[in-house]
mmCIF file of all heavy atoms in Angstrom:
data_model
loop_
_atom_site.group_PDB
_atom_site.id
_atom_site.type_symbol
_atom_site.label_atom_id
_atom_site.label_comp_id
_atom_site.label_asym_id
_atom_site.label_seq_id
_atom_site.Cartn_x
_atom_site.Cartn_y
_atom_site.Cartn_z
ATOM 1 N N VAL A 29 99.869 111.017 100.084
ATOM 2 C CA VAL A 29 98.531 110.419 100.034
ATOM 3 C C VAL A 29 97.482 111.502 99.789
ATOM 4 O O VAL A 29 96.548 111.313 98.996
ATOM 5 C CB VAL A 29 98.233 109.647 101.336
ATOM 6 C CG1 VAL A 29 96.767 109.226 101.385
ATOM 7 C CG2 VAL A 29 99.135 108.423 101.434
ATOM 8 N N LYS A 30 97.645 112.668 100.460
ATOM 9 C CA LYS A 30 96.681 113.764 100.274
ATOM 10 C C LYS A 30 96.675 114.230 98.817
ATOM 11 O O LYS A 30 95.612 114.412 98.207
ATOM 12 C CB LYS A 30 97.018 114.918 101.201
ATOM 13 C CG LYS A 30 96.096 116.129 101.064
ATOM 14 C CD LYS A 30 96.488 117.237 102.020
ATOM 15 C CE LYS A 30 95.559 118.436 101.875
ATOM 16 N NZ LYS A 30 95.607 119.022 100.524
ATOM 17 N N GLU A 31 97.875 114.437 98.241
ATOM 18 C CA GLU A 31 97.948 114.894 96.849
ATOM 19 C C GLU A 31 97.368 113.851 95.902
ATOM 20 O O GLU A 31 96.693 114.188 94.919
ATOM 21 C CB GLU A 31 99.401 115.193 96.485
ATOM 22 C CG GLU A 31 99.964 116.411 97.204
ATOM 23 C CD GLU A 31 101.439 116.633 96.884
ATOM 24 O OE1 GLU A 31 102.017 115.792 96.162
ATOM 25 O OE2 GLU A 31 102.004 117.642 97.356
ATOM 26 N N THR A 32 97.643 112.581 96.186
ATOM 27 C CA THR A 32 97.109 111.509 95.341
ATOM 28 C C THR A 32 95.593 111.464 95.403
ATOM 29 O O THR A 32 94.918 111.296 94.390
ATOM 30 C CB THR A 32 97.701 110.151 95.761
ATOM 31 O OG1 THR A 32 99.121 110.232 95.739
ATOM 32 C CG2 THR A 32 97.242 109.051 94.804
ATOM 33 N N ARG A 33 95.036 111.642 96.601
ATOM 34 C CA ARG A 33 93.588 111.628 96.739
ATOM 35 C C ARG A 33 92.965 112.839 96.033
ATOM 36 O O ARG A 33 91.880 112.742 95.452
ATOM 37 C CB ARG A 33 93.190 111.618 98.213
ATOM 38 C CG ARG A 33 93.638 110.359 98.940
ATOM 39 C CD ARG A 33 93.051 110.249 100.317
ATOM 40 N NE ARG A 33 91.635 109.933 100.268
ATOM 41 C CZ ARG A 33 90.887 109.725 101.339
ATOM 42 N NH1 ARG A 33 91.397 109.816 102.538
ATOM 43 N NH2 ARG A 33 89.607 109.443 101.207
ATOM 44 N N ASP A 34 93.653 113.986 96.068
ATOM 45 C CA ASP A 34 93.163 115.150 95.318
ATOM 46 C C ASP A 34 93.131 114.834 93.822
ATOM 47 O O ASP A 34 92.180 115.196 93.107
ATOM 48 C CB ASP A 34 94.056 116.362 95.568
ATOM 49 C CG ASP A 34 93.903 116.919 96.978
ATOM 50 O OD1 ASP A 34 92.887 116.597 97.621
ATOM 51 O OD2 ASP A 34 94.799 117.657 97.420
ATOM 52 N N GLY A 35 94.182 114.159 93.333
ATOM 53 C CA GLY A 35 94.213 113.775 91.922
ATOM 54 C C GLY A 35 93.095 112.810 91.576
ATOM 55 O O GLY A 35 92.446 112.946 90.529
ATOM 56 N N VAL A 36 92.837 111.842 92.448
ATOM 57 C CA VAL A 36 91.742 110.890 92.216
ATOM 58 C C VAL A 36 90.403 111.618 92.185
ATOM 59 O O VAL A 36 89.526 111.309 91.365
ATOM 60 C CB VAL A 36 91.758 109.793 93.303
ATOM 61 C CG1 VAL A 36 90.478 108.966 93.251
ATOM 62 C CG2 VAL A 36 92.976 108.885 93.125
ATOM 63 N N THR A 37 90.241 112.604 93.083
ATOM 64 C CA THR A 37 88.989 113.374 93.093
ATOM 65 C C THR A 37 88.790 114.110 91.772
ATOM 66 O O THR A 37 87.688 114.163 91.217
ATOM 67 C CB THR A 37 89.000 114.384 94.256
ATOM 68 O OG1 THR A 37 89.139 113.676 95.492
ATOM 69 C CG2 THR A 37 87.709 115.193 94.276
ATOM 70 N N ARG A 38 89.878 114.677 91.235
ATOM 71 C CA ARG A 38 89.770 115.359 89.936
ATOM 72 C C ARG A 38 89.410 114.378 88.825
ATOM 73 O O ARG A 38 88.598 114.677 87.950
ATOM 74 C CB ARG A 38 91.091 116.057 89.616
ATOM 75 C CG ARG A 38 91.381 117.257 90.491
ATOM 76 C CD ARG A 38 92.681 117.934 90.090
ATOM 77 N NE ARG A 38 92.597 118.433 88.721
ATOM 78 C CZ ARG A 38 93.626 118.941 88.064
ATOM 79 N NH1 ARG A 38 94.817 119.002 88.648
ATOM 80 N NH2 ARG A 38 93.472 119.387 86.830
ATOM 81 N N ILE A 39 90.041 113.200 88.850
ATOM 82 C CA ILE A 39 89.737 112.183 87.835
ATOM 83 C C ILE A 39 88.270 111.757 87.930
ATOM 84 O O ILE A 39 87.585 111.601 86.920
ATOM 85 C CB ILE A 39 90.662 110.966 87.985
ATOM 86 C CG1 ILE A 39 92.114 111.355 87.696
ATOM 87 C CG2 ILE A 39 90.241 109.840 87.038
ATOM 88 C CD1 ILE A 39 93.122 110.273 87.986
ATOM 89 N N LYS A 40 87.780 111.604 89.173
ATOM 90 C CA LYS A 40 86.376 111.226 89.347
ATOM 91 C C LYS A 40 85.456 112.300 88.767
ATOM 92 O O LYS A 40 84.425 111.990 88.169
ATOM 93 C CB LYS A 40 86.071 111.017 90.838
ATOM 94 C CG LYS A 40 86.692 109.743 91.404
ATOM 95 C CD LYS A 40 86.605 109.694 92.922
ATOM 96 C CE LYS A 40 85.193 109.493 93.390
ATOM 97 N NZ LYS A 40 85.126 109.349 94.860
ATOM 98 N N GLY A 41 85.833 113.563 88.940
ATOM 99 C CA GLY A 41 85.027 114.643 88.367
ATOM 100 C C GLY A 41 85.008 114.588 86.855
ATOM 101 O O GLY A 41 83.967 114.802 86.220
ATOM 102 N N ILE A 42 86.169 114.298 86.240
ATOM 103 C CA ILE A 42 86.232 114.195 84.781
ATOM 104 C C ILE A 42 85.397 113.020 84.293
ATOM 105 O O ILE A 42 84.643 113.120 83.317
ATOM 106 C CB ILE A 42 87.691 114.046 84.323
ATOM 107 C CG1 ILE A 42 88.464 115.333 84.629
ATOM 108 C CG2 ILE A 42 87.768 113.720 82.837
ATOM 109 C CD1 ILE A 42 89.953 115.229 84.416
ATOM 110 N N VAL A 43 85.502 111.876 84.977
ATOM 111 C CA VAL A 43 84.721 110.695 84.592
ATOM 112 C C VAL A 43 83.234 110.977 84.702
ATOM 113 O O VAL A 43 82.443 110.603 83.827
ATOM 114 C CB VAL A 43 85.113 109.484 85.472
ATOM 115 C CG1 VAL A 43 84.151 108.320 85.258
ATOM 116 C CG2 VAL A 43 86.540 109.051 85.158
ATOM 117 N N GLN A 44 82.835 111.675 85.788
ATOM 118 C CA GLN A 44 81.419 111.997 85.941
ATOM 119 C C GLN A 44 80.963 112.924 84.816
ATOM 120 O O GLN A 44 79.852 112.796 84.294
ATOM 121 C CB GLN A 44 81.171 112.660 87.307
ATOM 122 C CG GLN A 44 79.709 112.896 87.621
ATOM 123 C CD GLN A 44 78.913 111.613 87.648
ATOM 124 O OE1 GLN A 44 79.305 110.630 88.264
ATOM 125 N NE2 GLN A 44 77.783 111.601 86.948
ATOM 126 N N GLY A 45 81.841 113.871 84.432
ATOM 127 C CA GLY A 45 81.508 114.753 83.323
ATOM 128 C C GLY A 45 81.312 113.989 82.031
ATOM 129 O O GLY A 45 80.384 114.249 81.266
ATOM 130 N N LEU A 46 82.185 112.986 81.781
ATOM 131 C CA LEU A 46 82.036 112.152 80.583
ATOM 132 C C LEU A 46 80.737 111.354 80.631
ATOM 133 O O LEU A 46 80.031 111.225 79.634
ATOM 134 C CB LEU A 46 83.228 111.206 80.458
ATOM 135 C CG LEU A 46 84.572 111.836 80.043
ATOM 136 C CD1 LEU A 46 85.690 110.820 80.153
ATOM 137 C CD2 LEU A 46 84.479 112.360 78.621
ATOM 138 N N LYS A 47 80.421 110.808 81.813
ATOM 139 C CA LYS A 47 79.188 110.037 81.934
ATOM 140 C C LYS A 47 77.969 110.922 81.713
ATOM 141 O O LYS A 47 77.019 110.536 81.028
ATOM 142 C CB LYS A 47 79.115 109.372 83.316
ATOM 143 C CG LYS A 47 80.114 108.244 83.504
ATOM 144 C CD LYS A 47 80.096 107.700 84.914
ATOM 145 C CE LYS A 47 78.798 106.999 85.228
ATOM 146 N NZ LYS A 47 78.777 106.432 86.587
ATOM 147 N N ASP A 48 77.987 112.121 82.299
ATOM 148 C CA ASP A 48 76.864 113.044 82.105
ATOM 149 C C ASP A 48 76.727 113.415 80.642
ATOM 150 O O ASP A 48 75.628 113.451 80.085
ATOM 151 C CB ASP A 48 77.074 114.317 82.938
ATOM 152 C CG ASP A 48 76.972 114.061 84.432
ATOM 153 O OD1 ASP A 48 76.425 113.003 84.806
ATOM 154 O OD2 ASP A 48 77.438 114.903 85.210
ATOM 155 N N PHE A 49 77.865 113.691 79.994
ATOM 156 C CA PHE A 49 77.850 114.078 78.579
ATOM 157 C C PHE A 49 77.236 112.973 77.730
ATOM 158 O O PHE A 49 76.323 113.213 76.943
ATOM 159 C CB PHE A 49 79.274 114.355 78.110
ATOM 160 C CG PHE A 49 79.399 114.561 76.628
ATOM 161 C CD1 PHE A 49 79.165 115.805 76.082
ATOM 162 C CD2 PHE A 49 79.749 113.518 75.792
ATOM 163 C CE1 PHE A 49 79.270 116.005 74.730
ATOM 164 C CE2 PHE A 49 79.862 113.702 74.438
ATOM 165 C CZ PHE A 49 79.621 114.948 73.899
ATOM 166 N N SER A 50 77.725 111.737 77.880
ATOM 167 C CA SER A 50 77.229 110.653 77.024
ATOM 168 C C SER A 50 75.787 110.301 77.361
ATOM 169 O O SER A 50 74.994 109.971 76.485
ATOM 170 C CB SER A 50 78.112 109.408 77.190
ATOM 171 O OG SER A 50 78.095 108.955 78.537
ATOM 172 N N HIS A 51 75.389 110.416 78.637
ATOM 173 C CA HIS A 51 74.026 110.046 79.045
ATOM 174 C C HIS A 51 73.001 111.009 78.473
ATOM 175 O O HIS A 51 72.034 110.593 77.842
ATOM 176 C CB HIS A 51 73.939 110.039 80.564
ATOM 177 C CG HIS A 51 72.555 109.778 81.079
ATOM 178 N ND1 HIS A 51 71.961 108.549 80.989
ATOM 179 C CD2 HIS A 51 71.640 110.599 81.667
ATOM 180 C CE1 HIS A 51 70.740 108.619 81.516
ATOM 181 N NE2 HIS A 51 70.532 109.849 81.922
ATOM 182 N N VAL A 52 73.206 112.312 78.656
ATOM 183 C CA VAL A 52 72.209 113.257 78.166
ATOM 184 C C VAL A 52 72.173 113.282 76.657
ATOM 185 O O VAL A 52 71.142 113.545 76.054
ATOM 186 C CB VAL A 52 72.460 114.684 78.709
ATOM 187 C CG1 VAL A 52 72.326 114.731 80.203
ATOM 188 C CG2 VAL A 52 73.832 115.198 78.312
ATOM 189 N N ASP A 53 73.312 112.988 75.993
ATOM 190 C CA ASP A 53 73.306 113.002 74.531
ATOM 191 C C ASP A 53 72.441 111.873 74.000
ATOM 192 O O ASP A 53 71.767 112.023 73.003
ATOM 193 C CB ASP A 53 74.741 112.858 74.008
ATOM 194 C CG ASP A 53 74.805 112.968 72.508
ATOM 195 O OD1 ASP A 53 74.312 113.972 71.985
ATOM 196 O OD2 ASP A 53 75.316 112.035 71.858
ATOM 197 N N ARG A 54 72.446 110.730 74.679
ATOM 198 C CA ARG A 54 71.635 109.617 74.207
ATOM 199 C C ARG A 54 70.160 109.861 74.493
ATOM 200 O O ARG A 54 69.297 109.381 73.775
ATOM 201 C CB ARG A 54 72.082 108.313 74.896
ATOM 202 C CG ARG A 54 73.434 107.824 74.448
ATOM 203 C CD ARG A 54 73.635 106.390 74.885
ATOM 204 N NE ARG A 54 73.535 106.254 76.329
ATOM 205 C CZ ARG A 54 74.544 106.353 77.145
ATOM 206 N NH1 ARG A 54 75.743 106.628 76.702
ATOM 207 N NH2 ARG A 54 74.382 106.194 78.450
ATOM 208 N N CYS A 55 69.854 110.553 75.544
ATOM 209 C CA CYS A 55 68.462 110.705 75.947
ATOM 210 C C CYS A 55 67.788 111.917 75.316
ATOM 211 O O CYS A 55 66.603 112.122 75.492
ATOM 212 C CB CYS A 55 68.382 110.814 77.472
ATOM 213 S SG CYS A 55 68.908 109.323 78.318
ATOM 214 N N GLY A 56 68.558 112.775 74.608
ATOM 215 C CA GLY A 56 67.934 113.904 73.941
ATOM 216 C C GLY A 56 67.734 115.083 74.868
ATOM 217 O O GLY A 56 68.544 115.367 75.738
ATOM 218 N N HIS A 57 66.608 115.790 74.699
ATOM 219 C CA HIS A 57 66.351 117.013 75.440
ATOM 220 C C HIS A 57 65.818 116.696 76.840
ATOM 221 O O HIS A 57 64.828 115.973 76.983
ATOM 222 C CB HIS A 57 65.338 117.878 74.686
ATOM 223 C CG HIS A 57 65.901 118.472 73.432
ATOM 224 N ND1 HIS A 57 66.363 117.705 72.385
ATOM 225 C CD2 HIS A 57 66.083 119.770 73.068
ATOM 226 C CE1 HIS A 57 66.805 118.513 71.434
ATOM 227 N NE2 HIS A 57 66.649 119.753 71.809
ATOM 228 N N VAL A 58 66.476 117.238 77.850
ATOM 229 C CA VAL A 58 66.043 117.051 79.239
ATOM 230 C C VAL A 58 66.159 118.388 79.963
ATOM 231 O O VAL A 58 66.831 119.312 79.494
ATOM 232 C CB VAL A 58 66.901 115.991 79.969
ATOM 233 C CG1 VAL A 58 66.697 114.618 79.370
ATOM 234 C CG2 VAL A 58 68.374 116.363 79.917
ATOM 235 N N VAL A 59 65.511 118.486 81.113
ATOM 236 C CA VAL A 59 65.624 119.701 81.933
ATOM 237 C C VAL A 59 67.020 119.732 82.553
ATOM 238 O O VAL A 59 67.422 118.791 83.240
ATOM 239 C CB VAL A 59 64.534 119.719 83.020
ATOM 240 C CG1 VAL A 59 64.693 120.964 83.901
ATOM 241 C CG2 VAL A 59 63.152 119.690 82.394
ATOM 242 N N THR A 60 67.774 120.782 82.284
ATOM 243 C CA THR A 60 69.182 120.846 82.666
ATOM 244 C C THR A 60 69.522 122.243 83.169
ATOM 245 O O THR A 60 68.930 123.222 82.738
ATOM 246 C CB THR A 60 70.092 120.522 81.449
ATOM 247 O OG1 THR A 60 69.639 119.321 80.846
ATOM 248 C CG2 THR A 60 71.537 120.366 81.873
#
């Protein structure tokens, strides 16, 4: 269960990275 939860945490980080990438690309230049 611990290893699985670590894997889920990594997946959540990747998903958040994808969301951040697509969000800022649509909105143009922002303070980053």
